[in-house]
């Protein structure tokens, strides 16, 4: 079986060399095709950080094992790490955080065991990176949460939880504030939960979740979240088990999967052969299991756990009174410990069952659309306008444009209603949302909206607009604070 390997930048090549040395000593039956991705590929002029040959290899092989990569600062280019996850639709980011004996933490010292898997949605949310300056003072980020995207990652999380006999699966969210976006994610969670009655499924608001994770991490098992919240919560969980040096990550898609460490290129220690290869090794071990190399994975993991238990450590962790080893020596210690069993959490050595590699020759992009269930009606529009005038003056001007089809419903600033009622204590910025709805709820069409846009543009610069839709009579938009 052949996989693509990208060594990465900074400490990437050093830790990748250490991990591949361990694989080779364990006679992992894999061949590697080294592909060109990372900072130096940006520098060569490839704006997405990978060569076309690298893209072709990864798309034909289906598995990418990668080291951390640097995104050049100030050049307007996007992170190759995020581009890779999004381009190949690796919709689920799976991160396993387990107590590692030999890695001292507050919890290991208190005898509280941790075994948490965080599944983070990997494509959507603010990571779309769709951002605009609407006025000199006002920046906007669009946050997409979609039904098919949410269902994909949540189904993966439930399936994985079932396979690992999880006790509990929890959805982290902020649906109390973001009722439509996080509300949709939560709705999808409980929709999927119905198919897994044997699993205890519940939800926790993300701020409360963070508090509960640091007070009683042993109460959690599998946690599924949207992208940004998942990013933050998974780093929190990395802290619970000893830091980023112990946090592996698998980016799972239907066709392509990417295995990498959570940490970055560690430029401060690059080139010194002192980096900790554990996170990349744990990612590699999960890749071996994904490919069916169960025996190799267990032998390597047991040797790693034994090595950690015996107190061997790189400079970033462990007993500081004991001399640390370098990256190469750490890898050699693991190899020397092949066949040894750790006293805590030894992994059962199961026979290898390599998956048959599937070659996907996709002809076109797959379209994910849910069945439309309810009739959609346009009943109004939110016009986002630039103005430094007072709310009453804005309302007076807008009412002149409402004509015979529209009613000016309210004016809000940063989501807080400031007309027809509001407070002079609300600070304003130079961008308002003026909400128009149709008179008597009469359905509108796009031409009506364009007519209003043209009329309103006589008085204001319109920065953007959003249609106000109802589905089956239910409002498909949020109300302003105070509306
Ligand atoms: P970082 O994770 O590279 O470093 C943070 C701190 O942790 C540093 O003190 C570093 O020395 C230490 N550290 C990280 N990994 C370590 C290891 N294996 N062994 C010992 N110490 C380790 O985060 P930072 O400094 O914010 O980012 C540096 C670069 O990495 C940036 O260009 C960033 O864009 C990139 N990055 C790439 C990621 C990826 O490829 N998936 C993820 C995160 C950052």
């Amino acid at each position: 079986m052949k996989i693509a390997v990208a060594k990465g930048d900074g400490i990437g090549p050093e830790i990748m060399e250490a991990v591949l040395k361990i694989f080779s000593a364990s006679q992992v039956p894999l061949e590697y095709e080294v592909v060109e991705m990372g900072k130096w590929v940006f520098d060569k002029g490839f704006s997405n950080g990978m060569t076309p040959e690298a893209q072709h290899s990864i798309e034909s092989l289906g598995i990418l094992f990668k080291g951390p990569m640097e995104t050049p600062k100030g050049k307007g280019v996007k992170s190759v790490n995020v581009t890779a996850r999004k381009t190949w639709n690796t919709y689920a980011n799976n991160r396993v955080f387990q107590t590692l004996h030999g890695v001292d933490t507050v919890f290991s010292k208190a005898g509280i065991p941790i075994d948490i898997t965080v599944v983070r949605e990997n494509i959507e949310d603010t990571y779309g990176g769709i951002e605009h300056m609407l006025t000199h003072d006002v920046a906007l980020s669009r946050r997409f949460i979609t039904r098919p995207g949410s269902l994909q990652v949540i189904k993966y999380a439930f399936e994985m939880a079932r396979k690992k006999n999880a006790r509990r699966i929890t959805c982290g969210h902020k649906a109390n504030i973001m009722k439509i976006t996080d509300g949709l994610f939560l709705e999808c969670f409980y929709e999927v939960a119905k198919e897994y009655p044997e699993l205890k499924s519940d939800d926790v608001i993300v701020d409360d979740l963070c508090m509960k994770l640091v007070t009683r991490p042993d109460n959690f098992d599998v946690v599924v979240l949207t992208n940004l919240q998942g990013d933050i919560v998974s780093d929190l969980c990395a802290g619970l088990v000893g830091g980023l040096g112990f946090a592996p990550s698998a980016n799972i898609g239907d066709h392509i999967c990417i295995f990498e460490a959570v940490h970055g290129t560690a430029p401060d220690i690059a080139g010194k052969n002192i980096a900790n290869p554990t996170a990349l090794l744990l990612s590699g071990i999960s890749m071996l299991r994904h490919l069916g190399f169960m025996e190799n994975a267990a032998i390597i993991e047991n040797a790693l756990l034994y090595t950690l238990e015996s107190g061997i450590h790189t400079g970033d962790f462990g007993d500081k009174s004991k001399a640390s080893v370098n990256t190469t020596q750490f890898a050699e210690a693991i190899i020397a410990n092949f066949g040894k069993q750790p006293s805590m959490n030894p992994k059962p050595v199961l026979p290898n069952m390599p998956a048959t590699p599937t070659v996907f020759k996709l002809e076109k992009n797959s379209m994910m659309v849910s069945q439309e269930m309810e009739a959609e009606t346009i009943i109004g529009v939110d016009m986002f306008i630039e103005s430094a005038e007072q709310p009453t003056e804005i309302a007076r001007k807008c009412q002149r444009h409402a004509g015979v089809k529209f009613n000016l419903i309210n004016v809000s600033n940063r989501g807080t209603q400031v007309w027809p009622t509001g407070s002079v204590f609300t600070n304003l910025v130079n961008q308002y949302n003026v909400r128009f709805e149709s008179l008597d709820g009469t359905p509108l069409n796009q031409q009506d909206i364009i007519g209003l846009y043209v009329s309103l543009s006589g008085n204001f610069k319109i920065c953007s607009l959003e249609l106000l839709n109802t589905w089956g009579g239910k409002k498909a938009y949020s109300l302003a604070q105070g509306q």
Side-chain angles (χ1 to χ4, degrees), residues 132-325:
H132 298 90
M133 288 303 296
L134 297 189
T135 76
H136 273 100
D137 284 346
V138 179
L140 172 77
S141 168
R142 290 194 161 233
R143 178 173 192 253
F144 284 105
I145 302 291
T146 71
R147 185 182 295 281
S150 302
L151 287 174
Q152 247 184 349
V153 64
I154 291 167
K155 278 182 186 158
Y156 166 81
F158 271 92
E159 207 46 44
M160 185 272 299
R162 176 181 273 170
K163 277 195 198 127
K164 74 169 266 210
N165 287 325
R167 292 168 280 132
R168 175 184 181 192
I169 176 163
T170 306
C171 177
H173 63 87
K174 195 75 186 170
N176 53 329
I177 303 295
M178 294 176 280
K179 293 185 195 308
I180 299 213
T181 46
D182 274 29
L184 176 60
F185 192 76
L186 188 58
E187 186 184 308
C188 291
F189 176 81
Y190 282 116
E191 203 174 303
V192 177
K194 283 187 210 141
E195 294 161 34
Y196 298 81
E198 77 280 13
L199 281 169
K200 177 181 174 336
S201 44
D202 60 3
D203 69 280
V204 182
I205 292 175
V206 67
D207 38 343
D208 188 24
L209 176 68
C210 290
M211 194 267 291
K212 289 188 165 124
L213 279 167
V214 294
T215 47
R216 287 305 302 266
D218 50 330
N219 282 345
F220 292 91
D221 196 340
V222 175
V223 184
V224 58
L225 304 110
T226 52
N227 204 340
L228 178 61
Q229 293 167 28
D231 192 7
I232 297 166
V233 167
S234 57
D235 269 25
L236 182 150
C237 291
L240 301 177
V241 296
L244 289 180
F246 303 94
S249 148
N251 301 283
I252 306 291
D254 290 335
H255 307 302
I256 296 171
C257 297
I258 305 171
F259 296 83
E260 61 182 336
V262 171
H263 63 71
T265 59
D268 49 335
I269 56 166
K272 296 181 181 161
N273 194 31
I274 57 170
N276 178 1
T278 306
L280 187 66
L281 181 59
L282 286 169
S283 312
I285 291 168
S286 80
M287 177 179 76
L288 295 182
R289 291 213 168 89
H290 178 86
L291 295 172
F293 298 122
M294 304 300 184
E295 187 180 347
N296 297 96
I299 289 171
I300 296 172
E301 190 165 4
N302 283 337
L304 166 69
L305 297 177
Y306 184 91
T307 307
L308 293 171
E309 264 184 20
S310 60
I312 295 174
H313 64 95
T314 47
D316 56 307
F317 75 101
D319 183 354
K320 297 287 174 212
S321 66
K322 242 180 122 181
S324 59
V325 296

Side-chain angles (χ1 to χ4, degrees), residues 430-444:
N430 64 354
Q431 205 235 15
Y432 286 89
N433 174 14
V434 287
R435 173 165 289 181
F436 294 90
E437 285 182 8
S438 72
L439 281 174
D440 312 322
T442 322
L444 299 165

